Amino acid sequence: MPSAKILEQKQQLVAELAESIKNAQSGVLVNYCGITVEKDTALRAELRKNNVTYKVIKNTYIKRAAEMAGINGFDPALEGMTAIAVSEDPIAPAKVLCKFAESNEGFEVKAGFIDGRVIDTNEIKELAAIPGREGLIAKFLGSIQSPLYNFAYAIQAIIDKEGGAPAEAAE
């Protein structure tokens, strides 16, 4: 039986993890087996750069913390060596971890959550395929500018066809 002090430390760890899960928009569970220390260090640096919190924690702690946060359904994914990545950005954990998993054979994305709902590996991969904020803004601006450019080209074609600028513009 663990001492009261150790039990209190474990409860504190679970409570802190539950709080970070509650405050996160999304999270991803991974099996980190088979990666070297160098690769793990590079992964952690990339996650920090994207404001993602990444922790290696016992499966039972993750299960209890998720339940405290109101998320149920992680049980099938909580086997083997598990790490959890959480973030306020709904796409960042999926994007960074899926990219890393593609180039590292032993590293596996297991499950995740977004807005309190458990998602599977396929949904995580779909999230990772979504362009980042800057890419979405660029696409949006491009879609706004495209009709304006087409309109300007059409006006220019009419002017060129009629042989020059209108009489009022020439003065």
Side-chain angles (χ1 to χ4, degrees):
M1 187 98 200
S3 70
K5 183 178 178 182
I6 293 173
L7 188 59
E8 185 179 320
Q9 289 173 344
K10 290 178 180 181
Q11 290 172 341
Q12 179 67 26
L13 180 70
V14 170
E16 288 173 3
L17 181 58
E19 190 64 29
S20 68
I21 290 173
K22 278 182 194 175
N23 294 334
Q25 289 277 321
S26 68
V28 177
L29 296 176
V30 295
N31 179 353
Y32 62 92
C33 183
I35 61 171
T36 64
V37 173
E38 291 174 29
K39 290 181 179 180
D40 185 56
T41 303
L43 171 64
R44 288 175 186 265
E46 184 67 22
L47 289 166
R48 272 191 304 274
K49 189 171 93 176
N50 287 283
N51 296 321
V52 178
T53 304
Y54 178 80
K55 294 179 182 179
V56 174
I57 298 181
K58 288 185 174 186
N59 291 331
T60 54
Y61 295 175
I62 294 172
K63 180 181 177 181
R64 286 190 179 132
E67 288 172 354
M68 287 173 66
I71 299 173
N72 295 311
F74 278 147
D75 293 350
L78 293 175
E79 293 181 10
M81 300 168 65
T82 306
I84 186 169
V86 294
S87 176
E88 292 180 12
D89 183 337
I91 298 172
K95 189 172 284 296
V96 173
L97 293 172
C98 284
K99 182 180 175 186
F100 187 80
E102 287 174 4
S103 59
N104 294 284
E105 217 171 282
F107 194 83
E108 172 192 11
V109 175
K110 294 174 157 185
F113 68 92
I114 186 162
D115 292 329
R117 183 179 63 89
V118 175
I119 57 176
D120 64 7
T121 306
N122 293 329
E123 289 177 289
I124 293 169
K125 289 178 181 176
E126 288 174 11
L127 270 178
I130 295 173
R133 183 175 186 269
E134 291 78 21
L136 289 173
I137 290 172
K139 279 187 173 185
F140 176 70
L141 291 176
S143 67
I144 290 174
Q145 289 178 336
S146 179
L148 295 174
Y149 285 127
N150 291 339
F151 179 70
Y153 288 132
I155 299 267
Q156 187 62 47
I158 292 170
I159 292 171
D160 291 344
K161 183 177 179 183
E162 292 183 0
E168 295 119 18
E171 293 175 5

